[in-house]
Amino acid sequence: MRLLILGGSTEARQLAERLAGHPGFSAELSLAGRTKNPLPQALACRIGGFGGAEGLAGYLNDNRIDVLIDATHPFAERISENAVRAAKITGVPLLTLTRAPWAAQAGDRWTEVADAGAAALAIGAPRQRVFLTVGRQQVPAFEIAPQHDYLIRTIDAPEPMPALPFARLLLARGPFTVESERDLLRDERIDMLISKNSGGDSTRAKLDAARDLGIPVILIRRPQASARHIFYDLDALLGELDRRRHAGSPAERGV
Ligand code: NAP
């Protein structure tokens, strides 16, 4: 069974590790090519956009893909919509692998907002020390609130640097520990944390640290997904792939 995995996430990396060398699947991983030094991957990779939904549909046909798996980051909205459209155009089944969103616990001081612009406005007028962990693409949205002291953590530096006179950059890639996040929030005298509701374990420590220290969090809600077959669990997705593989094999159909 030929698989195309749309990746760029921890889930896609984990799926690639499980499929590498599997005799029943031939899988390729697709990356957008945004990260300068991507981590090594267990499967063969193709890098770069397809040219919209039609381009992706063409790729699925040309490469005789049996199942398309969208394992992109939950905030990668455009490629996920392209995947839905390409699956409709070609009839190739689409399965989505993602992480469950984070849910508030007792002691959390979360304000949930729709997007980065709303997050910038939700900080309020008085100058605050803000820990900004929204990914480099969303940073320019904070130029509408330039009065704050931002500590911006990203994997690669935003290009160009945003017009934020009191911003500093911290380049780092998770996972992070609760202890190190607590130290950072304390040492930097952070008043407020801003994050996307990405879900998953590798970056949730900052939320635990903020709760411990009573620091308010502005959390950007996930975009609404229009995909239908959504898996929050890697084993469940692998089980579904196996089921489809057996259902599709001549022996199982009694041929
Ligand atoms: P996006 O806005 O949804 O996609 C923009 C365009 O990039 C797409 O239309 C597509 O180009 C291309 N693209 C995106 N993902 C691709 C993939 N896996 N393979 C091939 N082309 C891809 O995406 P984004 O938010 O810029 O994210 C880019 C990548 O970074 C994604 O793979 C995502 O998993 C990863 N990522 C995103 C975030 C985030 O917060 N957005 C965080 C961590 C990692 P064409 O239309 O030309 O096909």
Side-chain angles (χ1 to χ4, degrees), residues 7-8 30 34 48-52 72-73 76-79 82 137 196:
S30 174
R34 295 276 194 285
F50 296 93
T72 57
H73 188 275
E77 202 174 353
R78 192 135 44 102
I79 186 71
N82 288 351
Q137 294 186 83
K196 294 183 289 199

